[in-house]
Amino acid sequence: MDDSSRYYKKTGKNEKDEQLEQYRETNTGPGKDLTSDAGLKISNDNWSLRAGRRGPTLLQDAHFYKKQSHFNRERIPEKVVHARGDGVYGEFELYKSMRHVTKAHFLQEPGCKTPVFVRFSTFIGNKGSKDTAVDIRGFATKFYTQEGNYDMLALSFAVFSVMDAMKFPDFVHAVKPNPRTDVPQATIAHDNAWDYIANNQEIAHFIMWLMSSRGRPRSWRMMEAWPVNTFRFINEHGKSTFVRFVWKPVLGVHSLLLDEANIIGGVDPDFHRRDLYEAIERGAYPEYELGVQLIPEEDECKYDFDILDDTKLWPEEVVPVEIIGKMTLNRPVDNFFSEEEQSSFDPSTVVPGIDFTNDPVLQGRSFAYRDTDYHRLGTGNINHIPVNQPVVERNFNQRDSDVRHRIDVDSVNYHENSLANNTPSETPPEKGGYAHYPEEVAGYKTRERPSESFYDFFSQSRLFWNSMPPVEKQNIVETFNFHLGYVQSKSVRQQVVDMFANVDKEMATVIADNIDVNPPSGGNVPVSASSPALNMENTPHYAYTQKVAVLIGNGFDGREVCSVLDTLRHCGVFVDIISEKLGTITGADGAKLEANKIFTSTYPVLFDSLYVVGGRSEGEAKFEQNIMHFVNEAYRHYKPIGVATTGQRYIQASKDNNLAGVVFAANNPNFGDDFVSAIAQQRFWHRK
């Protein structure tokens, strides 16, 4: 057991939590007097100082000036991309030693626990956009290791949009709102985005992921994530191994339908953030297992894809994923701005045992992230901000800049000195100092692509398509139709259809028919391979933390309903009781339940399943309409529905339906267990 693990076991806290304690302040409570930031007690915080009762405000009102001028500066520039997000703390625990491939301290001893901070985000939209936009998600993890911080910046897709960092600004410009009108927000459903896509076809694989269900996750807790870049592991003998990482959610990978995502974005734009907080509050801590894919140095060129190309994934069937540890997120931030908004992640923040490759995107990212945060946070002292501080001692010669709280008392602030015996001193690699892998580099200066496979835009796009089940292929087509339906230029729509015929001609032909362009003349690339790991039907399915709406009024069967609710809660299902009014609902046998939501302030798309109980209500007609609305919406979104003996009138068999995934309590002694099984399945795609 390492020192950090012993510390956690003894105190119940990790080093990062303990470090942050010194920065936490409470401004409210008994005996708390209002003061200025300099400590002056304030006698009036409501009215400005004026020359006479009805006169002008005086410039000498220092309290007003300081209060207003601070307020004027409370907002910092938002991130260019990944502006909307949220962060939480947790811990990573190592399952198995990776000493044979890396000397990174936190990957040495099984059971080693490392504090982490994780930020989830959307890519395109601004801070005021919606959580459920069709978009790629960020999943950035800061490991507070015993050798300094290590930042792992992952995305919810296994592939990236460009092959070289040079093109990233163009991609962002294209997908952002139109520069003339500043619309639309948080979507690529516009001409510029699709014009870029059609004319930069290396993005094809990325767009296939974006148009799939992975572009609209059910929850951050149910989202895979990949850093997409290729790194090196370096062991204590200096041997290099190529590595890619992946986070796999313990709950499996699950998504929203396009219709659900669009509706939720309007009725609850904070859907994913609310979901994260609710899970942590209930003790259902989000968990993710960390996997690594390893390629020996000598095997760099043995594959039909270039391992440095970020528009290509490493298929798990070709390069297996080895699960090495688990991360558990268990604590929200205390202050959103101080911690989440000021958090900074940088791919160049690594520790000994992890190094860069010549991945063209990684090379650019290793510069860009820190540089943009120097601008956004307005200081060179990014790592002085508490959330970004490492938990290890720091000694350095950088000085000054904004937000400098550290008081350096040394008179010497330069390296190679005699006055301080040349301290702070360098640490040789054999004692833990960071040293880059001595890769041999030779050749002429060039802007050539690293290999010929960088010209292959469609083989893995086709692999992705081949890996999808029929229902997901239909989802992809519908998502293309939705986005291209907003594109005004017929030429752009035609170019897109012709482009994606390289992925699948039948798919492109169906899309063409829906968006009023000619069917494509070309055909798809001759790739028949598939990857079962990409098929979301193969992901784990659980009832645990699924949200069930209980639709209920007075007069319910208390014994039956309370038994079902006990079963649901025992299985970790999240239950919301929805009725006409908040407060107590009384059953026919005197049983009482508390309604925590009302029909007028919630929506069926916010729930994974329904338990339809029914009952009596003061506004009977409206009550019946509300229940039927919930039932119809859940049914058309393929969600499981449990029906109490008192709720059978709301859903009945007919020639137009098959009631797949509808579980009835009547004459069913195993209703509770059957309903839980249906909740775990989550969607019933064969429903009609």
Side-chain angles (χ1 to χ4, degrees):
M1 184 182 295
D2 74 338
D3 291 342
S4 62
S5 297
R6 291 191 187 95
Y7 181 84
Y8 179 83
K9 187 173 182 181
K10 180 179 178 182
T11 65
K13 292 186 175 183
N14 60 46
E15 301 97 314
K16 188 62 186 180
D17 194 27
E18 187 79 7
Q19 182 193 61
L20 290 174
E21 187 62 36
Q22 65 183 302
Y23 299 102
R24 295 182 179 125
E25 300 284 351
T26 302
N27 294 290
T28 58
K32 294 282 188 177
D33 297 324
L34 179 66
T35 72
S36 70
D37 57 4
L40 180 71
K41 291 185 177 180
I42 304 302
S43 63
N44 192 319
D45 192 46
N46 295 311
W47 291 95
S48 55
L49 189 67
R50 296 184 304 285
R53 189 173 186 179
R54 299 175 63 82
T57 298
L58 296 176
L59 183 62
Q60 70 189 64
D61 189 348
H63 177 56
F64 166 76
Y65 165 74
K66 292 176 181 178
K67 182 177 180 180
Q68 181 65 45
S69 60
H70 187 285
F71 173 76
N72 293 347
R73 292 161 176 80
E74 282 184 359
R75 294 295 173 265
I76 63 176
E78 72 175 30
K79 293 174 180 284
V80 176
V81 292
H82 296 286
R84 181 176 180 81
D86 213 339
V88 290
Y89 293 96
E91 285 195 320
F92 172 75
E93 181 174 0
L94 187 67
Y95 287 163
K96 57 192 296 187
S97 174
M98 298 303 292
R99 180 179 283 113
H100 60 293
V101 289
T102 179
K103 59 184 178 181
H105 177 270
F106 77 108
L107 298 178
Q108 299 299 295
E109 297 295 333
C112 174
K113 292 181 178 179
T114 303
V116 298
F117 178 76
V118 174
R119 183 177 189 267
F120 300 100
S121 59
T122 52
F123 178 83
I124 301 174
N126 64 26
K127 279 190 66 177
S129 58
K130 59 187 180 182
D131 285 351
T132 57
V134 175
D135 199 356
I136 192 171
R137 266 74 186 171
F139 185 130
T141 304
K142 188 180 294 293
F143 294 83
Y144 301 101
T145 86
Q146 296 301 304
E147 298 176 294
N149 289 351
Y150 168 50
D151 289 353
M152 180 186 287
L153 289 90
L155 299 170
S156 58
F157 300 170
V159 296
F160 201 47
S161 56
V162 297
M163 291 178 167
D164 190 292
M166 178 75 83
K167 297 186 71 171
F168 187 67
D170 298 309
F171 167 63
V172 175
H173 287 166
V175 300
K176 284 288 189 174
N178 185 288
R180 292 181 60 214
T181 62
D182 200 39
V183 295
Q185 177 60 240
T187 180
I188 64 163
H190 57 94
D191 286 51
N192 283 6
W194 287 97
D195 180 53
Y196 175 89
I197 291 164
N199 289 279
N200 295 270
Q201 296 191 2
E202 69 194 59
I203 201 174
H205 193 186
F206 177 90
I207 295 300
M208 291 301 296
W209 283 71
L210 183 62
M211 295 295 100
S212 78
S213 294
R214 295 200 184 243
R216 41 182 195 271
R218 158 61 182 83
S219 165
W220 291 332
R221 301 178 292 114
M222 304 169 191
M223 183 178 77
E224 259 179 312
W226 296 260
V228 303
N229 297 128
T230 301
F231 288 86
R232 293 181 187 272
F233 271 159
I234 311 295
N235 68 13
E236 61 182 348
H237 304 295
K239 179 175 174 55
S240 166
T241 303
F242 294 109
V243 59
R244 281 195 180 182
F245 301 94
V246 59
W247 289 110
K248 290 188 173 288
V250 172
L251 291 178
V253 184
H254 304 286
S255 298
L256 299 168
L257 299 179
L258 178 62
D259 185 52
E260 291 177 303
N262 287 334
I263 296 172
I264 292 171
V267 301
D268 187 6
D270 304 305
F271 180 72
H272 285 149
R273 298 203 277 186
R274 202 185 307 277
D275 172 87
L276 182 68
Y277 291 144
E278 181 180 17
I280 293 176
E281 278 181 12
R282 297 191 185 204
Y285 299 138
E287 296 177 322
Y288 310 82
E289 291 188 311
L290 179 62
V292 295
Q293 291 177 287
L294 304 174
I295 293 179
E297 183 95 3
E298 58 272 20
D299 291 343
E300 176 179 0
C301 299
K302 71 176 274 188
Y303 302 97
D304 62 1
F305 53 87
D306 194 313
I307 70 169
L308 301 183
D309 182 353
D310 292 337
T311 67
K312 310 292 195 303
L313 55 81
W314 297 2
E316 293 187 22
E317 296 76 17
V318 177
V319 186
V321 171
E322 181 180 358
I323 300 299
I324 66 171
K326 183 173 73 173
M327 178 169 67
T328 303
L329 304 180
N330 53 25
R331 186 173 68 80
V333 299
D334 292 307
N335 183 279
F336 183 87
F337 177 83
S338 296
E339 295 168 277
E340 196 283 337
E341 186 65 28
Q342 292 194 114
S343 65
S344 175
F345 296 87
D346 173 13
S348 69
T349 299
V350 294
V351 292
I354 300 175
D355 202 352
F356 311 107
T357 65
N358 295 329
D359 172 337
V361 174
L362 176 59
Q363 291 288 311
R365 293 178 89 198
S366 64
F367 159 77
Y369 278 71
R370 177 51 59 95
D371 187 65
T372 194
D373 271 357
Y374 281 151
H375 165 70
R376 189 178 71 87
L377 295 172
T379 177
N381 294 317
I382 291 171
N383 284 338
H384 291 244
I385 299 169
V387 67
N388 299 322
Q389 286 187 16
V391 296
V392 295
E393 181 180 351
R394 295 177 297 162
N395 303 296
F396 46 80
N397 291 319
Q398 288 96 337
R399 292 294 188 269
D400 306 337
S401 188
D402 295 327
V403 199
R404 186 72 172 198
H405 300 298
R406 173 173 169 145
I407 302 174
D408 298 288
V409 298
D410 310 274
S411 60
V412 173
N413 59 355
Y414 49 90
H415 193 57
E416 300 294 348
N417 65 74
S418 63
L419 294 177
N421 295 318
N422 206 25
T423 58
S425 56
E426 298 169 329
T427 302
E430 59 270 18
K431 293 187 177 181
Y434 190 88
H436 290 279
Y437 177 69
E439 178 186 10
E440 182 179 352
V441 177
Y444 297 99
K445 293 179 181 179
T446 180
R447 295 189 188 272
E448 294 177 284
R449 301 188 187 209
S451 69
E452 288 303 307
S453 68
F454 272 73
Y455 289 94
D456 180 4
F457 306 150
F458 299 108
S459 291
Q460 284 206 349
S461 307
R462 175 73 177 172
L463 170 79
F464 184 83
W465 174 259
N466 292 343
S467 305
M468 297 297 103
V471 67
E472 180 61 14
K473 288 182 176 180
Q474 181 61 33
N475 283 336
I476 291 172
V477 169
E478 290 176 358
T479 309
F480 267 109
N481 291 341
F482 173 84
H483 287 83
L484 292 169
Y486 283 91
V487 174
Q488 299 299 306
S489 169
K490 190 168 185 177
S491 170
V492 169
R493 298 199 305 270
Q494 185 69 61
Q495 291 175 65
V496 171
V497 163
D498 293 341
M499 170 184 172
F500 282 93
N502 290 284
V503 178
D504 188 78
K505 183 172 184 178
E506 182 180 353
M507 174 191 75
T509 302
V510 173
I511 295 170
D513 184 57
N514 281 282
I515 61 172
D516 189 31
V517 298
N518 297 324
S521 56
N524 47 259
V525 294
V527 173
S528 59
S530 64
S531 171
L534 299 178
N535 186 336
M536 289 171 54
E537 288 187 348
N538 298 327
T539 197
H541 288 71
Y542 301 104
Y544 183 65
T545 78
Q546 291 286 291
K547 294 190 70 172
V548 174
V550 181
L551 313 180
I552 193 168
N554 292 312
F556 60 89
D557 184 330
R559 182 176 180 182
E560 176 189 303
V561 171
C562 291
S563 174
V564 172
L565 295 183
D566 287 344
T567 298
L568 295 178
R569 288 168 175 147
H570 177 74
C571 294
V573 175
F574 292 174
V575 173
D576 279 319
I577 297 177
I578 304 174
S579 195
E580 183 185 39
K581 298 179 179 179
L582 295 176
T584 302
I585 308 164
T586 305
D589 54 0
K592 296 186 183 298
L593 294 172
E594 292 294 317
N596 65 317
K597 293 187 183 296
I598 55 177
F599 286 112
T600 53
S601 62
T602 192
Y603 300 83
V605 290
L606 302 178
F607 300 93
D608 302 301
S609 179
L610 303 182
Y611 178 33
V612 183
V613 179
R616 300 190 307 274
S617 174
E618 292 179 8
E620 199 68 32
K622 184 64 174 175
F623 180 76
E624 297 288 302
Q625 291 173 9
N626 284 327
I627 291 182
M628 287 307 304
H629 173 61
F630 268 71
V631 169
N632 291 335
E633 289 293 292
Y635 193 85
R636 77 182 184 92
H637 289 146
Y638 309 99
K639 295 178 179 179
I641 300 172
V643 183
T645 54
T646 53
Q648 292 184 89
R649 69 182 183 276
Y650 297 106
I651 184 165
Q652 298 178 8
S654 74
K655 61 181 178 60
D656 298 320
N657 65 39
N658 60 8
L659 298 187
V662 180
V663 184
F664 292 91
N667 303 314
N668 183 0
N670 299 316
F671 171 74
D673 293 337
D674 291 346
F675 187 29
V676 168
S677 296
I679 294 170
Q681 185 168 329
Q682 301 184 24
R683 304 276 188 183
F684 291 83
W685 299 117
H686 60 291
R687 175 181 289 170
K688 66 175 184 177

